[in-house]
Amino acid sequence: LAPDSIGNALPSTAHITYVAIPEVQVLEPREGPVEGGTRIRVVGQHFRPSAPAGVEELPAHAPLRCVFGSRESPAIVLSDTELTCTAPPVESTYRTSGTLAAFAVRLVPAHAPPTDDYTTATPGQKQQITFYYRRFVCSFSQVEPLSGPEFGETLVSLRSDYPLLNSK
């Protein structure tokens, strides 16, 4: 209902649909290179809103975006509890050392301007989820064999004292 200038309520055809705020529970992997490009699997809830009781179907819902600090990338929703996205490159300031970025998933209504406040967890989220942008510097402690034939095709074994990116 819409008020007129006298304070009376007039009938309205506006419809309001409330949807739950997406909540992130698991982020895999939780790190990637500063150059971006890491494909991320996100597990949580409320990624695909369902129609409320008495409504046949929802109109096309607003897209979701994955937020990495102050950078965003589009989310591909697989189900109400799972989506994927690709980590964007980190800001150039952090390219030399790496950085920890707050991670969230947000709804992007067509009419809403992007917000600059990514410092807190998504409302309703129980804990802050983070993604670590790592500057990958290759360092090996052992290489075997140390030599091979001129024509190549030698299988080489590499050992590192540090875990390699996304290795278990």
Side-chain angles (χ1 to χ4, degrees):
L1 298 177
D4 63 11
S5 60
I6 304 172
N8 296 323
L10 302 174
S12 173
T13 58
H15 296 279
I16 299 173
T17 302
Y18 294 95
V19 294
I21 295 172
E23 181 182 328
V24 176
Q25 296 166 341
V26 176
L27 184 67
E28 295 175 342
R30 293 185 70 123
E31 65 178 29
V34 294
E35 295 82 12
T38 303
R39 186 174 174 164
I40 307 295
R41 177 178 172 259
V42 182
V43 177
Q45 57 187 1
H46 311 302
F47 296 152
R48 183 180 293 152
S50 56
V55 177
E56 289 183 26
E57 67 179 59
L58 284 175
H61 66 279
L64 294 177
R65 306 278 295 173
C66 291
V67 181
F68 297 79
S70 62
R71 301 280 174 115
E72 292 188 6
S73 72
I76 299 169
V77 178
L78 304 175
S79 70
D80 188 49
T81 60
E82 186 175 1
L83 62 82
T84 63
C85 55
T86 302
V90 75
E91 294 86 353
S92 59
T93 308
Y94 300 108
R95 289 243 172 172
T96 56
S97 61
T99 188
L100 197 60
F103 178 84
V105 173
R106 75 176 185 100
L107 289 168
V108 185
H111 62 279
T115 176
D116 292 331
D117 181 21
Y118 300 114
T119 57
T120 59
T122 301
Q125 192 163 300
K126 294 174 180 55
Q127 64 178 355
Q128 177 66 57
I129 305 292
T130 56
F131 182 81
Y132 182 66
Y133 280 101
R134 182 182 298 251
R135 181 75 193 156
F136 184 66
V137 179
C138 199
S139 172
F140 298 106
S141 59
Q142 186 177 6
V143 179
E144 291 181 352
L146 294 176
S147 63
E150 237 176 77
F151 54 86
E153 297 189 24
T154 301
L155 184 61
V156 177
S157 174
L158 307 172
R159 291 186 186 246
S160 175
D161 291 335
Y162 302 98
L164 297 176
L165 192 61
N166 296 331
S167 65
K168 300 200 184 228

